[in-house]
């Protein structure tokens, strides 16, 4: 998986998207076999205000984690919003594993989530 740096301050791993398009137009909802994907977001506070070297280090760390997980099909690191979006094939515990692995390398990254209601 390769992350590309665009002039619009977006790092994306999708093949061939035009930078600046809204995520709802870029993010795949199904894999190549037609199965639905799941996704999550992580906030990386103040990432855009860091030096270019720090931004590159952070993106390399994230890329290294994502490359180890075959379930990942799309990732976008938006520097303008300090937001990482990851889409992956659903698998029990996959999101927890990825979030924990990213936080090991980028401790300031925060999972954006809501509380599930108890049933």
């Amino acid at each position: 998986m390769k992350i590309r740096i665009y002039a619009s301050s977006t790092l994306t791993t999708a093949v061939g998207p035009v930078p600046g398009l809204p995520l709802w137009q870029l993010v795949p909802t199904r894999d190549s076999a037609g199965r639905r994907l799941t996704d999550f977001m992580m906030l990386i506070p103040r990432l855009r205000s860091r030096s270019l070297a720090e931004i590159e280090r952070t993106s390399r760390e994230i890329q290294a984690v994502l490359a180890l997980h075959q379930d990942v099909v799309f990732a976008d690191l938006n520097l303008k919003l300090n937001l990482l979006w990851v889409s992956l094939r659903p698998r029990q515990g996959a999101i927890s594993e990825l979030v924990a692995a990213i936080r090991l390398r980028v401790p300031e990254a925060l999972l954006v989530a809501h509380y599930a209601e108890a049933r």
Side-chain angles (χ1 to χ4, degrees):
M1 179 174 302
K2 182 172 178 162
I3 295 178
R4 288 190 240 162
I5 301 174
Y6 292 110
S8 67
S9 300
T10 301
L11 305 169
T12 304
T13 59
V15 177
V18 178
L21 284 177
L23 276 178
W24 66 269
Q25 290 180 338
L26 290 176
V27 176
T29 57
R30 298 185 180 272
D31 67 9
S32 58
R35 292 183 295 263
R36 292 194 54 82
L37 300 173
T38 189
D39 47 49
F40 67 93
M41 294 184 296
M42 294 187 82
L43 181 66
I44 306 171
R46 297 175 295 283
L47 179 62
R48 72 172 172 239
S49 62
R50 296 183 191 162
S51 69
L52 183 57
E54 281 282 317
I55 292 170
E56 289 177 1
R57 183 200 60 79
T58 300
S59 67
R60 279 194 309 271
E61 295 290 352
I62 292 168
Q63 181 179 357
V65 170
L66 297 178
L68 295 174
H69 293 270
Q70 297 174 354
D71 297 322
V72 175
V73 296
F74 175 88
D76 179 80
L77 180 57
N78 184 320
L79 292 177
K80 186 174 182 180
L81 299 175
N82 298 319
L83 192 71
L84 171 66
W85 179 292
V86 179
S87 295
L88 59 149
R89 291 178 197 87
R91 179 178 55 81
Q92 187 70 32
I95 291 175
S96 297
E97 289 173 16
L98 273 168
V99 167
I102 290 169
R103 293 215 51 216
L104 280 174
R105 292 183 177 223
V106 185
E108 64 275 17
L110 305 167
L111 179 64
V112 177
H114 66 279
Y115 291 102
E117 293 181 23
R119 295 186 190 232

